Amino acid sequence: MEPKPASGDSALIQGEHTYETLSEKLAAVVEKPPPGAWWPVFLIGGLGAALLLYAILVTFIQGLGTWGINIPVGWGFDIVHFVWWIGIGHAGTLISAILVLMRQDWRDSLNRLTEVMTLFAVLCAALYPLIHMGRAQNMYWIFPYPNSLGIWPQFKSPLTWDVLAIMTYLTISTLFLYLGLIPDLALLRERAQSRFTRILYGVLSLGWTGSATHWHRYRAAYVLLAGLATPVVISVHSVVSLDFAYGVIPGWHITVFPPFFASGAIYSGFAMALTLIIPLRKWYRLEDVVTNRHLDWMAKVMLASGLGVAYIYLLEIFIAWYSGEPFEIRQQLWRFSGPYAPYYWAMMLINVGVLQLMWFPRFRHNLWVLFIVSILANVGMWLERFVIVIISLSRDYLPSSAHLYHPTWVDWSLYLGTLGFFLFGIALFIRFFPPIAVAEMLHLLHKLRFHRHDKQGGSPPHRDGQDPHTPR
Amino acid sequence: MRARNLWVKVLFYGGLTTVAIVLLVVFSGVAVGGFDQRVGRPIPQPVPFSHALHAGEMGISCRYCHAAVEQASYAGLPPTETCMSCHSQVRAQSPLLAPVRESWEKGTPLAWNRVVEVPDFVYFNHSIHVAKGVGCATCHGPVHQMPVLYQAKAFEMRFCLDCHRAPEKYLRPREEVFNMNYQPPAEQLELGRRLVKAHGVNQANLTDCSVCHR
């Protein structure tokens, strides 16, 4: 069958693809041996994960004194990285859920990878609230369960909300990822060459046959979950922001923090997604499905959310001046010219300055520029959390309690370790599960090119009328 | 294929039910302290001291041995001198009492095994409870019937809070505190409310952390 001439959004899938060639190409990521670059990523990630375990062990055995935190700066790298990782996770749900509700077709080839990114970023983030407790063995006291102590958690604390928010977020993003995977798992089951893979994907695909009833309910559940995940994604990072905005510290007690943090999360999440997708599409030769147009749109979302962040940086300065509150003014001056001023100005340079490159199509379409800007954006958002958490705490109301923060090797190892675990998890995931949602892409291909129903044309592999349970 | 589906269903629903049952049992156990190993387990002692004999049959008052209970936070274990005030004459040659005589001769205290032990971050005070009309048996159980002492209650925090939140359910007249055979009257609530007022129990801050955890 001749594909219809490409027009408009047809650019979302490039090349002369039929259902067969497209599913062949996307399944090959899992079925063929990985490209050469996979092994170094896997090994470096594994080493990082081992470093993470070692640093956690040191923390648990020797205590929190091995970290650089001190009395005014009780929250150090632990919370900086917690917020950073949670923020990164948000782009995944944004692409999966919000863009589904907006019926954006360009999310179809991005959602799987960003959902995986979400899962592992949230796992990295969820680690920090556990290990930054002095007595991590008592962490379950934060759960509301009837107990012989006769006491319950304090539901007025944003840290208690954090627990609910993160656990809900982890659950809903895992469910979302798995629900999306089911048709692809069934495809891999049907294509399986060995008994082991057939059983593996057969068990995981839960007997999916791709019947019309299945698809009807699947779409309903998917849209419903998207509708539920959207308020969750916005509220989770808002809850995280309340950890600070609830405080009375100058630099923390600002009412714009919830939307500020949420837009920062989208900004850093899209940046991380670009950082991952640009090498991935090259290594796996996925340029046909993750086109320059996709990257262009992601860069535009990054720009839009980054501008939200930049706006609030400027608003913070304005509010400090407008409030006439001496401690607020002093906090801003401390950021401008204190010992941490380089961090502040680097943040402003990246998140306000470098970001403006994304206005220009020339830079958005240059992969190297886009890649470097996406990495810089992650650095910038790291700096933002550093500015908020550490600079604000290092000097507040009493001059006698001003103290600087110096991270130790354990702090750094935990950070590098979570980066390693993140890479390790994603590398393992895309080795076993397709990083591009095959069913979504076939559906998109159908929408773009094969609107007319044609028996001779390709049809999705699980609609071929053959009972998928019959052994081949 | 049908057989496999049946197996899948059995595994799925079976697994789900098992997890639910395990969670239910664990959490209900946690909630009521049902898995506490300490309750009702007699603790062997260097000397087979019988409360059933001394407090029950012979009717010695609790305060004869636990003398500090009305004045101090710690009720106090009797020193060897208290034992020897009778046992220098009574059954002076009994082999069961050999450790007591040895302690008396050498001047080393008897190493009793502690039965009730709350953690050191709990600052329990006996005298205040006695003064406000909490009977011995309310917390320690029928000690006068125990040949070997055991812990009658788990002394978990909820046990304490149950009474601190509603003391009228447990209070008795001051003169009945050491009466091990006291039975609460039918109109306990009415009596209790009267005693709360009469004994000046300040209920406003009775469940504040600082009451016990200083």
Side-chain angles (χ1 to χ4, degrees):
Chain A
M1 164 167 184
E2 287 294 312
K4 280 200 288 189
S7 66
D9 283 353
S10 306
L12 291 179
I13 299 174
Q14 288 179 344
E16 299 297 312
H17 275 299
T18 61
Y19 297 128
E20 283 80 11
T21 60
L22 192 62
S23 53
E24 184 74 38
K25 184 178 181 64
L26 296 178
V29 175
V30 176
E31 289 167 348
K32 300 254 166 62
W38 185 83
W39 286 103
V41 172
F42 177 72
L43 284 177
I44 292 171
L47 284 176
L51 180 67
L52 176 67
L53 280 180
Y54 179 65
I56 292 175
L57 210 62
V58 169
T59 306
F60 280 175
I61 291 174
Q62 297 189 16
L64 288 189
T66 51
W67 296 4
I69 46 177
N70 50 55
I71 284 307
V73 192
W75 280 359
F77 267 18
D78 48 330
I79 301 298
V80 171
H81 296 137
F82 161 65
V83 183
W84 191 73
W85 278 118
I86 276 283
I88 283 171
H90 278 55
T93 319
L94 189 93
I95 289 178
S96 309
I98 297 181
L99 296 186
V100 165
L101 297 184
M102 294 178 176
R103 298 171 192 277
Q104 294 297 309
D105 289 337
W106 61 274
R107 48 78 73 186
D108 286 348
S109 58
L110 304 173
N111 71 321
R112 176 67 44 74
L113 189 71
T114 51
E115 280 164 17
V116 178
M117 188 182 90
T118 297
L119 176 64
F120 286 103
V122 175
L123 283 177
C124 287
L127 188 69
Y128 284 103
L130 288 181
I131 61 172
H132 93 299
M133 281 188 275
R135 292 175 189 171
Q137 72 273 21
N138 293 339
M139 63 91 188
Y140 59 90
W141 287 359
I142 199 73
F143 300 127
Y145 67 99
N147 57 53
S148 55
L149 296 175
I151 52 172
W152 292 77
Q154 169 60 281
F155 286 113
K156 291 177 192 167
S157 163
L159 300 182
T160 312
W161 310 342
D162 266 355
V163 175
L164 303 176
I166 293 167
M167 288 196 2
T168 310
Y169 192 42
L170 194 59
T171 310
I172 206 165
S173 55
T174 310
L175 275 180
F176 216 61
L177 175 65
Y178 187 58
L179 184 69
L181 263 173
I182 289 173
D184 289 4
L185 291 169
L187 174 71
L188 290 172
R189 175 194 68 202
E190 295 310 307
R191 294 172 57 97
Q193 297 299 316
S194 74
R195 189 177 156 74
F196 169 74
T197 47
R198 193 165 68 243
I199 291 177
L200 173 73
Y201 295 122
V203 168
L204 288 177
S205 60
L206 306 178
W208 175 269
T209 57
S211 73
T213 320
H214 278 183
W215 277 108
H216 177 70
R217 290 179 184 161
Y218 174 87
R219 289 313 300 179
Y222 201 84
V223 173
L224 196 67
L225 210 51
L228 285 172
T230 302
V232 167
V233 71
I234 299 300
S235 62
V236 165
H237 217 62
S238 301
V239 164
V240 170
S241 83
L242 292 178
D243 296 348
F244 307 101
Y246 245 50
V248 293
I249 301 289
W252 280 13
H253 192 69
I254 302 166
T255 51
V256 289
F257 263 24
F260 172 45
F261 271 53
S263 74
I266 296 165
Y267 172 54
S268 69
F270 269 84
M272 183 57 96
L274 277 170
T275 314
L276 291 177
I277 279 171
I278 291 172
L280 190 87
R281 74 196 274 269
K282 186 168 162 54
W283 292 339
Y284 282 97
R285 309 199 180 290
L286 293 172
E287 285 94 345
D288 285 359
V289 287
V290 184
T291 64
N292 287 335
R293 177 171 290 229
H294 286 96
L295 302 181
D296 185 55
W297 268 318
M298 289 174 79
K300 282 178 181 167
V301 176
M302 200 171 93
L303 173 66
S305 50
L307 287 173
V309 173
Y311 166 67
I312 291 172
Y313 291 158
L314 305 176
L315 192 70
E316 272 187 319
I317 300 172
F318 170 75
I319 290 291
W321 166 76
Y322 191 64
S323 70
E325 183 65 37
F327 292 106
E328 287 290 335
I329 295 169
R330 207 185 59 179
Q331 180 64 39
Q332 282 303 321
L333 294 178
W334 177 249
R335 289 179 182 180
F336 292 163
S337 58
Y340 291 123
Y343 291 86
Y344 181 79
W345 291 115
M347 172 192 88
M348 289 300 253
L349 179 72
I350 294 169
N351 292 351
V352 182
V354 175
L355 175 72
Q356 307 306 325
L357 290 181
M358 294 293 99
W359 284 102
F360 304 102
R362 194 191 330 160
F363 296 120
R364 286 204 305 268
H365 296 159
N366 184 326
L367 283 191
W368 276 108
V369 173
L370 197 59
F371 187 60
I372 290 169
V373 168
S374 74
I375 289 178
L376 279 180
N378 277 309
V379 176
M381 286 309 291
W382 184 89
L383 289 166
E384 181 199 301
R385 277 66 185 248
F386 186 92
V387 168
I388 292 171
V389 178
I390 290 170
I391 303 190
S392 306
L393 282 177
S394 64
R395 189 168 176 193
D396 50 36
Y397 293 105
L398 291 178
S400 59
S401 65
H403 205 300
L404 297 185
Y405 169 79
H406 301 289
T408 63
W409 70 269
V410 184
D411 286 306
W412 282 112
S413 303
L414 285 171
Y415 180 45
L416 295 177
T418 43
L419 278 173
F421 172 72
F422 181 67
L423 284 181
F424 185 70
I426 291 180
L428 264 186
F429 187 93
I430 61 179
R431 185 70 198 90
F432 290 104
F433 304 104
I436 309 277
V438 185
E440 300 276 1
M441 289 311 287
L442 293 176
H443 184 231
L444 181 66
L445 185 70
H446 176 78
K447 269 207 282 195
L448 296 180
R449 303 202 185 154
F450 302 111
H451 275 299
R452 283 173 300 133
H453 185 66
D454 193 331
K455 279 281 177 198
Q456 277 80 45
S459 60
H462 27 254
R463 286 195 184 180
D464 53 9
Q466 186 193 5
D467 187 350
H469 284 298
T470 334
R472 293 202 280 189
Chain B
M1 198 174 81
R2 289 227 172 114
R4 195 178 66 182
N5 278 350
L6 183 69
W7 268 109
V8 168
K9 278 183 184 167
V10 166
L11 275 177
F12 180 77
Y13 289 109
L16 217 61
T17 318
T18 313
V19 168
I21 290 172
V22 166
L23 283 180
L24 194 72
V25 169
V26 167
F27 273 98
S28 48
V30 168
V32 299
F35 302 135
D36 204 298
Q37 296 296 304
R38 297 167 298 182
V39 180
R41 198 178 50 163
I43 305 290
Q45 302 290 352
V47 182
F49 179 83
S50 168
H51 278 90
L53 176 65
H54 292 82
E57 279 181 42
M58 296 162 72
I60 300 174
S61 164
C62 306
R63 286 164 293 181
Y64 185 77
C65 299
H66 303 288
V69 73
E70 284 177 300
Q71 287 86 34
S73 61
Y74 182 54
L77 271 134
T80 308
E81 284 80 353
T82 311
C83 306
M84 289 305 278
S85 61
C86 296
H87 285 294
S88 58
Q89 310 292 324
V90 179
R91 299 196 183 228
Q93 301 308 316
S94 166
L96 290 176
L97 291 168
V100 183
R101 290 192 298 273
E102 196 188 323
S103 157
W104 175 250
E105 281 153 20
K106 289 191 180 165
T108 49
L110 276 163
W112 297 106
N113 291 320
R114 197 156 178 176
V115 176
V116 174
E117 184 148 32
V118 290
D120 285 349
F121 53 75
V122 180
Y123 290 79
F124 180 76
N125 188 324
H126 271 94
S127 65
I128 188 73
H129 290 87
V130 170
K132 301 292 178 185
V134 182
C136 303
T138 308
C139 301
H140 293 291
V143 173
H144 64 301
Q145 291 164 4
M146 297 182 191
V148 182
L149 195 66
Y150 60 85
Q151 196 174 329
K153 309 278 180 183
F155 293 117
E156 279 156 335
M157 195 163 115
R158 209 181 65 162
F159 168 75
C160 305
L161 284 176
D162 278 348
C163 184
H164 276 215
R165 282 173 180 151
E168 67 276 5
K169 286 187 197 161
Y170 305 95
L171 293 193
R172 55 174 83 172
R174 278 202 187 106
E175 57 275 16
E176 301 289 352
V177 164
F178 300 102
N179 176 5
M180 295 302 288
N181 294 311
Y182 176 81
Q183 291 297 323
E187 66 282 3
Q188 168 64 35
L189 279 182
E190 202 182 309
L191 171 72
R193 282 194 204 101
R194 215 168 52 236
L195 290 176
V196 164
K197 272 199 194 110
H199 295 171
V201 177
N202 180 7
Q203 276 186 280
N205 62 357
L206 216 47
T207 54
D208 287 3
C209 305
S210 59
V211 172
C212 306
H213 304 290
R214 282 178 272 149

